[in-house]
Amino acid sequence: MAEVEDTEGKKIEVNVFFEKKPTGKRGSRKKVLTPEAVSLIENLARIMCTDEEIADILGCSRDLFYTEDNAENFRQAIKKGQSQGRQSLRREQWKVAQKGNVSMLIWLGRQWLGQKDFVVEDKDGDEFAAKMAQAFRERKRG
């Protein structure tokens, strides 16, 4: 029995992360991820944990994830968890932008609408920048 934290920081007990299955060789067994372990991997991937962090939490080597018996389940759990994490993050970004956060509005405009900054070039670029900075400071004061 192992105690771990889920994605919300709640302590949960997980009975078994691995099942030992016979390999066909006398006395030999291989570790296979249980459904509980796959679910935990998905939840950890949702908060963008690395393979190494997930292995530490499960108490195993990350090489175990890439064995023939575990690779597909691990890959699918990571893919699904990370996708859900990105969706959740995107949802929160939209909420912040809807509240008028200018930085978030600019960032989302660049990411989704192809908006970008443009630079006005002048022959006397440094002089132009200095004049603009001075004008901005004066406007801010008054």
Side-chain angles (χ1 to χ4, degrees):
M1 181 88 60
E3 189 175 276
V4 295
E5 289 184 9
D6 67 6
T7 55
E8 297 171 0
K10 297 177 189 169
K11 298 275 186 195
I12 58 171
E13 289 188 5
V14 180
N15 291 334
V16 182
F17 290 128
F18 310 101
E19 297 174 338
K20 293 190 176 186
K21 299 217 173 179
T23 62
K25 298 176 185 174
R26 189 166 55 172
S28 179
R29 295 189 169 293
K30 56 187 167 188
K31 288 184 177 180
V32 179
L33 295 169
T34 62
E36 291 86 2
V38 172
S39 177
L40 181 59
I41 290 167
E42 190 178 301
N43 287 335
L44 293 169
R46 188 175 295 132
I47 59 171
M48 305 304 170
C49 286
T50 65
D51 296 1
E52 193 67 39
E53 292 167 334
I54 293 170
D56 287 345
I57 290 167
L58 292 178
C60 67
S61 164
R62 60 183 276 236
D63 295 338
L64 182 67
F65 301 143
Y66 301 103
T67 62
E68 184 178 335
D69 298 306
N70 293 320
E72 186 61 24
N73 284 340
F74 182 74
R75 186 189 66 74
Q76 287 178 357
I78 291 292
K79 184 177 178 181
K80 184 176 181 183
Q82 287 178 344
S83 175
Q84 291 171 344
R86 285 190 300 271
Q87 291 170 18
S88 178
L89 181 59
R90 189 173 293 120
R91 189 177 306 109
E92 292 304 312
Q93 287 175 318
W94 278 111
K95 287 178 185 176
V96 169
Q98 292 295 316
K99 291 179 182 176
N101 183 302
V102 176
S103 297
M104 187 59 70
L105 289 167
I106 291 169
W107 186 85
L108 289 169
R110 288 177 180 159
Q111 299 302 310
W112 291 102
L113 304 175
Q115 297 170 343
K116 51 188 164 184
D117 293 335
F118 65 94
V119 178
V120 177
E121 291 191 29
D122 191 359
K123 290 180 186 177
D124 302 319
D126 291 337
E127 185 179 326
F128 178 74
K131 288 179 183 177
M132 290 299 291
Q134 180 63 32
F136 179 74
R137 282 191 295 271
E138 288 173 5
R139 184 173 179 202
K140 196 173 180 182
R141 282 186 216 147

mmCIF file of all heavy atoms in Angstrom, residues 89-90 92-98 100-111:
data_model
loop_
_atom_site.group_PDB
_atom_site.id
_atom_site.type_symbol
_atom_site.label_atom_id
_atom_site.label_comp_id
_atom_site.label_asym_id
_atom_site.label_seq_id
_atom_site.Cartn_x
_atom_site.Cartn_y
_atom_site.Cartn_z
ATOM 1 N N LEU A 89 -5.488 24.627 -18.529
ATOM 2 C CA LEU A 89 -4.697 25.858 -18.533
ATOM 3 C C LEU A 89 -5.301 26.881 -19.491
ATOM 4 O O LEU A 89 -5.444 28.057 -19.152
ATOM 5 C CB LEU A 89 -3.252 25.546 -18.929
ATOM 6 C CG LEU A 89 -2.292 26.724 -18.965
ATOM 7 C CD1 LEU A 89 -2.214 27.405 -17.613
ATOM 8 C CD2 LEU A 89 -0.920 26.240 -19.404
ATOM 9 N N ARG A 90 -5.684 26.429 -20.664
ATOM 10 C CA ARG A 90 -6.287 27.324 -21.655
ATOM 11 C C ARG A 90 -7.592 27.934 -21.100
ATOM 12 O O ARG A 90 -7.852 29.127 -21.249
ATOM 13 C CB ARG A 90 -6.570 26.549 -22.943
ATOM 14 C CG ARG A 90 -6.988 27.433 -24.082
ATOM 15 C CD ARG A 90 -7.083 26.649 -25.391
ATOM 16 N NE ARG A 90 -5.759 26.210 -25.802
ATOM 17 C CZ ARG A 90 -5.406 24.929 -25.968
ATOM 18 N NH1 ARG A 90 -6.269 23.966 -25.748
ATOM 19 N NH2 ARG A 90 -4.196 24.623 -26.352
ATOM 20 N N GLU A 92 -8.367 28.492 -17.982
ATOM 21 C CA GLU A 92 -8.013 29.499 -16.982
ATOM 22 C C GLU A 92 -7.480 30.771 -17.637
ATOM 23 O O GLU A 92 -7.759 31.881 -17.180
ATOM 24 C CB GLU A 92 -7.003 28.934 -15.986
ATOM 25 C CG GLU A 92 -7.580 27.851 -15.095
ATOM 26 C CD GLU A 92 -8.809 28.285 -14.333
ATOM 27 O OE1 GLU A 92 -8.797 29.378 -13.727
ATOM 28 O OE2 GLU A 92 -9.804 27.530 -14.343
ATOM 29 N N GLN A 93 -6.708 30.624 -18.717
ATOM 30 C CA GLN A 93 -6.205 31.803 -19.426
ATOM 31 C C GLN A 93 -7.359 32.611 -19.998
ATOM 32 O O GLN A 93 -7.351 33.839 -19.942
ATOM 33 C CB GLN A 93 -5.253 31.379 -20.551
ATOM 34 C CG GLN A 93 -3.924 30.897 -20.050
ATOM 35 C CD GLN A 93 -3.060 30.376 -21.178
ATOM 36 O OE1 GLN A 93 -3.521 29.671 -22.068
ATOM 37 N NE2 GLN A 93 -1.794 30.726 -21.134
ATOM 38 N N TRP A 94 -8.355 31.932 -20.543
ATOM 39 C CA TRP A 94 -9.511 32.645 -21.096
ATOM 40 C C TRP A 94 -10.248 33.401 -20.000
ATOM 41 O O TRP A 94 -10.693 34.527 -20.199
ATOM 42 C CB TRP A 94 -10.469 31.692 -21.798
ATOM 43 C CG TRP A 94 -10.050 31.363 -23.190
ATOM 44 C CD1 TRP A 94 -9.609 30.167 -23.645
ATOM 45 C CD2 TRP A 94 -10.002 32.251 -24.324
ATOM 46 N NE1 TRP A 94 -9.280 30.253 -24.975
ATOM 47 C CE2 TRP A 94 -9.517 31.516 -25.418
ATOM 48 C CE3 TRP A 94 -10.302 33.599 -24.502
ATOM 49 C CZ2 TRP A 94 -9.344 32.075 -26.673
ATOM 50 C CZ3 TRP A 94 -10.129 34.149 -25.757
ATOM 51 C CH2 TRP A 94 -9.655 33.399 -26.818
ATOM 52 N N LYS A 95 -10.373 32.767 -18.832
ATOM 53 C CA LYS A 95 -11.053 33.442 -17.717
ATOM 54 C C LYS A 95 -10.315 34.727 -17.338
ATOM 55 O O LYS A 95 -10.928 35.766 -17.121
ATOM 56 C CB LYS A 95 -11.134 32.521 -16.500
ATOM 57 C CG LYS A 95 -12.141 31.405 -16.641
ATOM 58 C CD LYS A 95 -12.121 30.527 -15.401
ATOM 59 C CE LYS A 95 -13.019 29.324 -15.556
ATOM 60 N NZ LYS A 95 -12.925 28.419 -14.389
ATOM 61 N N VAL A 96 -8.983 34.638 -17.263
ATOM 62 C CA VAL A 96 -8.167 35.807 -16.917
ATOM 63 C C VAL A 96 -8.314 36.877 -17.992
ATOM 64 O O VAL A 96 -8.471 38.072 -17.698
ATOM 65 C CB VAL A 96 -6.682 35.398 -16.726
ATOM 66 C CG1 VAL A 96 -5.787 36.615 -16.624
ATOM 67 C CG2 VAL A 96 -6.542 34.521 -15.494
ATOM 68 N N ALA A 97 -8.272 36.473 -19.249
ATOM 69 C CA ALA A 97 -8.398 37.432 -20.352
ATOM 70 C C ALA A 97 -9.774 38.097 -20.326
ATOM 71 O O ALA A 97 -9.885 39.307 -20.564
ATOM 72 C CB ALA A 97 -8.169 36.738 -21.691
ATOM 73 N N GLN A 98 -10.815 37.336 -20.041
ATOM 74 C CA GLN A 98 -12.171 37.885 -20.004
ATOM 75 C C GLN A 98 -12.339 38.928 -18.909
ATOM 76 O O GLN A 98 -13.185 39.799 -18.998
ATOM 77 C CB GLN A 98 -13.199 36.758 -19.803
ATOM 78 C CG GLN A 98 -13.320 35.826 -20.990
ATOM 79 C CD GLN A 98 -13.866 36.530 -22.213
ATOM 80 O OE1 GLN A 98 -14.815 37.292 -22.134
ATOM 81 N NE2 GLN A 98 -13.246 36.282 -23.354
ATOM 82 N N GLY A 100 -10.157 41.097 -18.355
ATOM 83 C CA GLY A 100 -9.486 42.304 -18.825
ATOM 84 C C GLY A 100 -7.988 42.335 -18.605
ATOM 85 O O GLY A 100 -7.378 43.391 -18.726
ATOM 86 N N ASN A 101 -7.363 41.217 -18.292
ATOM 87 C CA ASN A 101 -5.918 41.182 -18.110
ATOM 88 C C ASN A 101 -5.261 41.467 -19.454
ATOM 89 O O ASN A 101 -5.294 40.650 -20.364
ATOM 90 C CB ASN A 101 -5.489 39.828 -17.561
ATOM 91 C CG ASN A 101 -4.008 39.760 -17.289
ATOM 92 O OD1 ASN A 101 -3.200 39.971 -18.177
ATOM 93 N ND2 ASN A 101 -3.671 39.459 -16.048
ATOM 94 N N VAL A 102 -4.656 42.640 -19.587
ATOM 95 C CA VAL A 102 -4.094 43.099 -20.860
ATOM 96 C C VAL A 102 -2.989 42.179 -21.351
ATOM 97 O O VAL A 102 -2.941 41.829 -22.528
ATOM 98 C CB VAL A 102 -3.579 44.551 -20.730
ATOM 99 C CG1 VAL A 102 -2.899 44.997 -22.007
ATOM 100 C CG2 VAL A 102 -4.743 45.481 -20.396
ATOM 101 N N SER A 103 -2.110 41.750 -20.461
ATOM 102 C CA SER A 103 -1.011 40.862 -20.869
ATOM 103 C C SER A 103 -1.557 39.574 -21.466
ATOM 104 O O SER A 103 -1.053 39.080 -22.475
ATOM 105 C CB SER A 103 -0.113 40.529 -19.684
ATOM 106 O OG SER A 103 0.489 41.692 -19.196
ATOM 107 N N MET A 104 -2.582 39.021 -20.821
ATOM 108 C CA MET A 104 -3.160 37.774 -21.322
ATOM 109 C C MET A 104 -3.863 38.002 -22.653
ATOM 110 O O MET A 104 -3.780 37.166 -23.563
ATOM 111 C CB MET A 104 -4.138 37.187 -20.301
ATOM 112 C CG MET A 104 -4.649 35.808 -20.689
ATOM 113 S SD MET A 104 -3.347 34.575 -20.886
ATOM 114 C CE MET A 104 -2.832 34.374 -19.206
ATOM 115 N N LEU A 105 -4.543 39.129 -22.797
ATOM 116 C CA LEU A 105 -5.202 39.441 -24.066
ATOM 117 C C LEU A 105 -4.182 39.563 -25.196
ATOM 118 O O LEU A 105 -4.395 39.062 -26.298
ATOM 119 C CB LEU A 105 -6.032 40.723 -23.939
ATOM 120 C CG LEU A 105 -7.288 40.603 -23.090
ATOM 121 C CD1 LEU A 105 -7.843 41.988 -22.782
ATOM 122 C CD2 LEU A 105 -8.331 39.751 -23.786
ATOM 123 N N ILE A 106 -3.062 40.217 -24.917
ATOM 124 C CA ILE A 106 -2.008 40.356 -25.927
ATOM 125 C C ILE A 106 -1.438 38.988 -26.277
ATOM 126 O O ILE A 106 -1.289 38.642 -27.449
ATOM 127 C CB ILE A 106 -0.893 41.308 -25.425
ATOM 128 C CG1 ILE A 106 -1.433 42.738 -25.354
ATOM 129 C CG2 ILE A 106 0.336 41.224 -26.326
ATOM 130 C CD1 ILE A 106 -0.520 43.715 -24.639
ATOM 131 N N TRP A 107 -1.147 38.168 -25.249
ATOM 132 C CA TRP A 107 -0.566 36.854 -25.494
ATOM 133 C C TRP A 107 -1.510 35.987 -26.315
ATOM 134 O O TRP A 107 -1.103 35.340 -27.279
ATOM 135 C CB TRP A 107 -0.214 36.175 -24.166
ATOM 136 C CG TRP A 107 0.509 34.897 -24.365
ATOM 137 C CD1 TRP A 107 1.844 34.735 -24.550
ATOM 138 C CD2 TRP A 107 -0.071 33.601 -24.441
ATOM 139 N NE1 TRP A 107 2.136 33.409 -24.733
ATOM 140 C CE2 TRP A 107 0.978 32.687 -24.676
ATOM 141 C CE3 TRP A 107 -1.368 33.110 -24.337
ATOM 142 C CZ2 TRP A 107 0.769 31.323 -24.796
ATOM 143 C CZ3 TRP A 107 -1.577 31.746 -24.469
ATOM 144 C CH2 TRP A 107 -0.515 30.876 -24.694
ATOM 145 N N LEU A 108 -2.782 35.945 -25.933
ATOM 146 C CA LEU A 108 -3.754 35.136 -26.683
ATOM 147 C C LEU A 108 -3.924 35.658 -28.109
ATOM 148 O O LEU A 108 -4.085 34.869 -29.045
ATOM 149 C CB LEU A 108 -5.102 35.093 -25.954
ATOM 150 C CG LEU A 108 -5.110 34.269 -24.666
ATOM 151 C CD1 LEU A 108 -6.399 34.506 -23.896
ATOM 152 C CD2 LEU A 108 -4.929 32.795 -24.969
ATOM 153 N N GLY A 109 -3.891 36.969 -28.278
ATOM 154 C CA GLY A 109 -3.975 37.539 -29.628
ATOM 155 C C GLY A 109 -2.810 37.090 -30.488
ATOM 156 O O GLY A 109 -2.977 36.764 -31.667
ATOM 157 N N ARG A 110 -1.623 37.047 -29.904
ATOM 158 C CA ARG A 110 -0.450 36.580 -30.656
ATOM 159 C C ARG A 110 -0.569 35.100 -30.985
ATOM 160 O O ARG A 110 -0.238 34.678 -32.095
ATOM 161 C CB ARG A 110 0.825 36.813 -29.848
ATOM 162 C CG ARG A 110 1.215 38.262 -29.758
ATOM 163 C CD ARG A 110 2.434 38.430 -28.888
ATOM 164 N NE ARG A 110 2.819 39.831 -28.809
ATOM 165 C CZ ARG A 110 3.560 40.326 -27.846
ATOM 166 N NH1 ARG A 110 4.006 39.552 -26.871
ATOM 167 N NH2 ARG A 110 3.874 41.603 -27.836
ATOM 168 N N GLN A 111 -1.026 34.307 -30.014
ATOM 169 C CA GLN A 111 -1.089 32.858 -30.209
ATOM 170 C C GLN A 111 -2.192 32.436 -31.178
ATOM 171 O O GLN A 111 -1.993 31.568 -32.022
ATOM 172 C CB GLN A 111 -1.298 32.142 -28.867
ATOM 173 C CG GLN A 111 -0.208 32.374 -27.859
ATOM 174 C CD GLN A 111 1.148 31.957 -28.368
ATOM 175 O OE1 GLN A 111 1.319 30.858 -28.863
ATOM 176 N NE2 GLN A 111 2.125 32.846 -28.260
#
